[in-house]
Amino acid sequence: MKKILNRLTFSFLILILALMVTLVGCGKAPPPETPAPQSSEAPKPERPDIILATTTSTQDSGLLDELLPVFEKKTGYKVKPIAVGTGAALAMGEKGDADVLLVHAPASEKKLVDNKTAINYQLVMHNDFVIVGPSADPAKVKEAKTVTDAFKQIVDSSAIFVTRGDDSGTDKIEKGLWTKANLKPAPEKYQSTGQGMGQTLTIASEKAGYTLTDRATYLATQKNLRLDILLEGDTSLLNIYHVMQVNPEKFSKVNADGAKAFVEFMIDAETQSIIGSFGKDKFGQPLFFADAGK
């Protein structure tokens, strides 16, 4: 009887052990933890707002509309662009009323760099200026070989020349070209708009006048104009853009981190690629040529 009980006890223990192994084997392992989804938005910086003082050509051409959303998504900063003439943009920098500048008047920019108002001065891109006018071309500008020849023919004709007159980078270049040519148009034939490039082109078109414009703004607004490119390619018509930070050591309110991030973004290889291809799909040619690192 004792042997029978021992056998039953042993069998019962074996059965219990088998059931335990079965239950463990059938149990499901806990699922691996799913990583939290990564946000595509950059974390918000401590001081997220940046004031960018820039020339009207970067806005009128549509370049800022292309670049700023990319920068803001990458960095979390929010840019407030103030598009004015380069002279006004540089003046904002001199007063500490902007954090970062994107402008195109190298001679005037150098003054800010030399007196330490601007730091982290970087070459970004270039395009060129062109002289545009009515298709009829009463001053025969299309036959001119140089800017000096073109200006002389405009002065000798009955045509008007429309100038921005706003101390912008374009205005500075144009005034310098008149001085270099040793020419001064009659006041009644030299009409100032005090406006940006887009508005000045519109007025020149309405008045069948000539004007000097950056190529990018002209191409971006060409469909609304009755103006043709009549002179291009003169070496004096090169249009160079730089970006720079306003020096936080001079102006404590400047957003130094945001400005530095914007400068680095503008010279980054990916941004330079966007700049170099901007306009190709719409105009068959780029509106700017990327120059960072040159």
Side-chain angles (χ1 to χ4, degrees):
M1 184 69 179
K2 188 176 181 180
K3 284 184 179 181
I4 293 172
L5 287 173
N6 286 339
R7 284 179 183 175
L8 287 172
T9 301
F10 180 75
S11 298
F12 181 75
L13 289 172
I14 292 296
L15 179 61
I16 293 296
L17 183 61
L19 286 171
M20 288 177 65
V21 171
T22 301
L23 288 172
V24 171
C26 292
K28 292 183 180 179
E33 290 186 11
T34 304
Q38 297 295 315
S39 172
S40 60
E41 298 293 330
K44 191 173 182 179
E46 187 176 338
R47 293 182 61 191
D49 297 321
I50 303 172
I51 297 175
L52 166 67
T54 185
T55 173
T56 59
S57 59
T58 60
Q59 178 168 279
D60 291 346
S61 65
L63 182 64
L64 288 185
D65 293 334
E66 188 83 7
L67 295 181
L68 294 188
V70 179
F71 171 72
E72 292 176 347
K73 185 175 181 180
K74 274 188 171 184
T75 65
Y77 286 104
K78 184 71 177 176
V79 181
K80 179 184 178 182
I82 300 178
V84 289
T86 285
L90 293 173
M92 288 181 66
E94 287 180 316
K95 296 174 185 175
D97 290 336
D99 301 307
V100 63
L101 312 176
L102 176 60
V103 286
H104 65 139
S108 298
E109 296 160 15
K110 190 175 184 300
K111 297 174 186 176
L112 271 71
V113 176
D114 288 346
N115 66 23
K116 307 298 183 184
T117 296
I119 59 173
N120 199 8
Y121 184 58
Q122 301 287 346
L123 177 63
V124 175
M125 61 192 182
H126 79 273
N127 62 6
D128 62 344
F129 294 106
V130 294
I131 296 178
V132 298
S135 302
D137 191 17
K140 306 299 180 189
V141 168
K142 203 164 189 176
E143 298 174 7
K145 302 297 182 185
T146 66
V147 173
T148 297
D149 293 340
F151 278 6
K152 186 175 187 307
Q153 289 169 208
I154 292 170
V155 167
D156 291 343
S157 75
S158 60
I160 67 166
F161 189 96
V162 182
T163 178
R164 285 177 61 164
D166 63 349
D167 197 36
S168 62
T170 304
D171 188 57
K172 291 174 185 291
I173 289 288
E174 182 228 300
K175 298 292 194 295
L177 291 171
W178 283 111
T179 301
K180 182 181 176 182
N182 197 26
L183 292 167
K184 190 174 182 180
E188 67 273 11
K189 293 171 55 181
Y190 189 66
Q191 300 186 12
S192 177
T193 68
Q195 303 283 331
M197 197 69 254
Q199 296 95 323
T200 298
L201 281 165
T202 298
I203 293 168
S205 178
E206 290 170 351
K207 296 191 173 187
Y210 294 89
T211 193
L212 181 81
T213 177
D214 66 284
R215 186 185 295 270
T217 305
Y218 170 75
L219 290 175
T221 57
Q222 181 182 13
K223 65 181 180 180
N224 300 317
L225 304 172
R226 295 189 300 276
L227 298 171
D228 295 339
I229 293 177
L230 301 173
L231 183 82
E232 59 186 323
D234 191 311
T235 55
S236 63
L237 295 177
L238 190 63
N239 184 25
I240 301 170
Y241 291 77
H242 289 88
V243 66
M244 67 200 88
Q245 292 178 239
V246 177
N247 191 348
E249 292 185 2
K250 280 198 167 188
F251 307 100
S252 58
K253 66 181 179 180
V254 164
N255 187 340
D257 291 339
K260 184 173 185 290
F262 187 81
V263 171
E264 291 175 350
F265 169 78
M266 289 300 295
I267 62 175
D268 180 76
E270 184 178 336
T271 308
Q272 289 282 294
S273 178
I274 295 172
I275 290 171
S277 61
F278 177 68
K280 279 184 179 179
D281 56 342
K282 190 172 182 180
F283 305 107
Q285 59 180 295
L287 271 60
F288 299 92
F289 296 90
D291 289 329
K294 294 184 183 176

